[in-house]
């Protein structure tokens, strides 16, 4: 007779499983609430204290941590000395372990959870049993996921045992499971003690979906999500229509989401291509905001990803329905707008909360070959009234509003970054060039004659006055930049020469 040890926090489907194991001639050992549930169902079960000959104690903290349990799990069946020790101490072998763990994640996500409650939901015996069984998977089958119940039962029915390949696969899954569980605990306690950059960074992610391919068709890819996401994120988006998201859709959508989150009091629309905004518009209505984002660059928006911070209504959906767009993100869609947009086969429609001001995404993680860079997110609060006017000419109230708007946008553009526009629209974007004047010329060319009377934002200082000189030629009237160059005075002198107002923020926004 085979012996199964069952101890589960989530008891869904467990009675049906026990019934089938008993039919397969298994003897069932169980603990605490699981044992009570099985016994009350009238099914035969052996209590853990009958096996250990030691009572559960310390409010259940100690019950399975005993040689009678772990000896039965860890004994190598092909090692004569192991089997002799088992026989000498009258320990019965355990062939199957089914364990899921205390609900630590569910506990710490409760509002205002007490530290003591979190600590009590750190499972000790469960991971120990899982790890012992997984280590000895040459002989022991271990299940930590109810999704594996049926496959294991099928092998027992057909073969009388599980295959080594199955036991090995389940063992690997168990170690991933316990590693993720420990990573959550480590992360929680690290946050409690306020350790900003610990000596060990333990991260865990759950696979959300397999992707068709990565950046290019020859690259495989998957989308993983943090177990606990407290801020507005694509991982919590609901897809209302369209094909599954691609790798590039997700990258572009994430970039669009970050930009549109800069604007909460105004209706805002952001159009993104290749992780850079090609148009950002504000308006009194979401339709007006969209039209401004579209008019900013009608060419580049083709095949783009758009983020809206207000519901998409029918008036906004009508021009959208005539365009080729990859993806729309919005907090909601009117019934009429959703019906109209859903007629487009290839567009993807995502619904998700745009804002969650209670918790920000504090850290950004970037992979490099063999490592990971971690930094605070670029989410500093800035007050334009504290900016320093460094030129003779001061910006007007309207120009200062325009500079503040463009400054919010430029921080999200790949460096070197230049953006041109007014107080509600970008008209030119220069991104990712190896020199700043090169980015500026791209932005000027895109804007055309709309540069006349426009303002300009630069994500970092001007190392020389050539960009100011070019800006003057196309009619720029005000500039915002961090300042901080050894040659700042040359740029100030150039701006004064052409009657351009310029302000220093003293905050740089490189985005590599």
């Amino acid at each position: 007779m085979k012996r199964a040890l069952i101890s589960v926090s989530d008891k869904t489907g467990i009675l049906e499983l026990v019934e089938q194991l008993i039919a397969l001639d298994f003897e069932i050992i169980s603990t605490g609430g699981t044992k009570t549930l099985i016994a009350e169902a009238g099914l035969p079960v052996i209590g853990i204290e009958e096996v250990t000959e030691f009572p559960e104690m310390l409010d259940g903290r100690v019950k399975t941590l005993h040689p009678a349990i772990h000896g039965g799990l860890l004994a190598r069946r092909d090692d004569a000395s192991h089997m002799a020790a088992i026989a000498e101490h009258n320990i019965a072998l355990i062939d199957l372990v089914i364990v899921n763990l205390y609900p630590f994640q569910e506990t710490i996500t409760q509002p205002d959870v007490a530290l003591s409650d979190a600590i009590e939901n750190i499972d000790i015996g469960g991971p120990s049993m899982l790890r012992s069984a997984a280590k000895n998977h040459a002989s022991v089958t271990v299940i930590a996921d109810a999704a594996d119940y049926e496959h294991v039962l099928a092998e027992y029915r057909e073969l009388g045992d599980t295959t080594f390949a199955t036991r090995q696969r389940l063992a690997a899954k168990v170690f991933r499971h316990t590693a993720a569980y420990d990573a959550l605990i480590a992360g929680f306690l690290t946050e409690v003690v306020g350790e900003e950059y610990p000596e060990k960074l333990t991260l865990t992610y759950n696979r959300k979906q397999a992707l068709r391919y990565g950046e290019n068709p020859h690259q495989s890819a998957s989308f993983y999500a943090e177990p606990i996401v407290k801020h507005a994120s694509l991982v919590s988006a609901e897809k209302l229509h369209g094909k599954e998201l691609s790798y590039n859709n997700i990258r572009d959508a994430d970039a669009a989401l970050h930009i549109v989150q800069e604007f909460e009091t105004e209706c805002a629309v952001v159009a993104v291509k290749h992780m850079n905004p090609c148009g950002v518009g504000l308006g009194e209505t979401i339709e007006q905001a969209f039209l401004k984002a579209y008019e900013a660059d009608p060419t580049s928006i083709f095949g783009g990803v758009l983020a809206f911070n207000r519901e998409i209504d029918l008036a906004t959906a009508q021009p959208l329905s005539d365009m080729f767009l990859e993806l729309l993100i919005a907090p909601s869609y009117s019934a009429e707008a959703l019906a109209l947009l859903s007629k487009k086969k290839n567009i993807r429609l995502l619904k998700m909360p745009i804002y969650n001001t209670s918790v920000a995404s504090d850290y950004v993680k970037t992979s490099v070959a063999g490592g990971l860079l971690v930094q605070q997110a670029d989410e500093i609060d800035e007050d334009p009234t504290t900016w320093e006017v460094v030129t003779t000419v001061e910006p007007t109230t309207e120009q200062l509003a325009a500079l503040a708007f463009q400054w919010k946008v430029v921080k999200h553009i790949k460096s070197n970054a230049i953006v041109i526009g007014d107080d509600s629209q970008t008209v030119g974007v220069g991104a990712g060039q190896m020199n700043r004047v090169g980015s500026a010329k791209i932005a000027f060319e895109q804007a055309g004659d709309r540069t006349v009377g426009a303002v300009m934002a630069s994500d970092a200082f001007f190392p020389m006055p050539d960009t100011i000189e070019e800006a003057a030629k196309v009619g720029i009237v005000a500039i915002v930049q961090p300042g901080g160059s050894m040659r700042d005075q040359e740029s100030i002198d150039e701006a004064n020469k052409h009657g351009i107002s310029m302000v220093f923020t003293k905050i740089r926004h490189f985005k590599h």
Side-chain angles (χ1 to χ4, degrees), residues 130-138 140-145 148 163-181 204:
L130 287 173
R131 289 170 59 84
S132 290
K135 177 174 180 175
N136 201 24
H137 67 269
V140 180
T141 305
V142 59
I143 303 176
D145 184 352
D148 295 309
T163 64
F164 177 74
T166 291
R167 294 194 297 275
Q168 191 172 49
R169 176 180 64 82
L170 293 175
K173 189 172 185 178
V174 157
F175 282 116
R176 293 194 299 271
H177 182 66
T178 57
Y181 191 79
T204 184

Side-chain angles (χ1 to χ4, degrees), residues 13-132:
I14 204 66
L15 289 179
E16 294 82 355
L17 175 66
V18 169
E19 287 177 344
Q20 294 184 68
L21 288 173
I22 291 171
L24 290 166
D25 205 26
F26 269 87
E27 185 175 60
I28 309 298
I29 309 168
S30 192
T31 66
T34 308
K35 176 202 167 187
T36 300
L37 179 70
I38 296 170
E40 288 178 349
L43 299 172
V45 60
I46 300 171
I48 204 76
E49 65 279 2
E50 297 176 60
V51 177
T52 62
E53 297 183 353
F54 202 90
E56 294 185 18
M57 62 183 299
L58 305 181
D59 297 320
R61 284 189 170 199
V62 177
K63 48 193 172 188
T64 59
L65 298 172
H66 195 280
I69 300 300
H70 288 273
L73 293 173
L74 286 165
R76 289 181 51 183
R77 276 59 162 174
D78 61 349
D79 187 312
S81 64
H82 281 210
M83 297 310 290
I86 288 291
E88 179 183 353
H89 296 285
N90 197 29
I91 295 174
L93 298 175
I94 298 172
D95 306 283
L96 172 64
V97 172
I98 301 168
V99 170
N100 56 55
L101 306 177
Y102 292 173
F104 181 79
Q105 179 177 331
E106 292 80 359
T107 300
I108 63 174
T109 52
Q110 294 173 3
D112 302 320
V113 60
L115 179 60
S116 58
D117 289 337
I119 297 300
E120 282 308 308
N121 277 279
I122 296 176
D123 202 331
I124 302 300
S128 299
M129 288 186 288
L130 287 173
R131 289 170 59 84
S132 290

Side-chain angles (χ1 to χ4, degrees), residues 105 176-177 180-181 184 203-209 222-229 235:
Q105 179 177 331
R176 293 194 299 271
H177 182 66
Y181 191 79
L184 275 175
L203 304 175
T204 184
Y205 294 84
N206 299 323
R207 190 170 74 167
K208 181 176 174 65
Q209 69 183 92
S222 281
F223 183 21
Y224 286 82
E226 295 175 351
I228 302 172
V229 179
V235 303

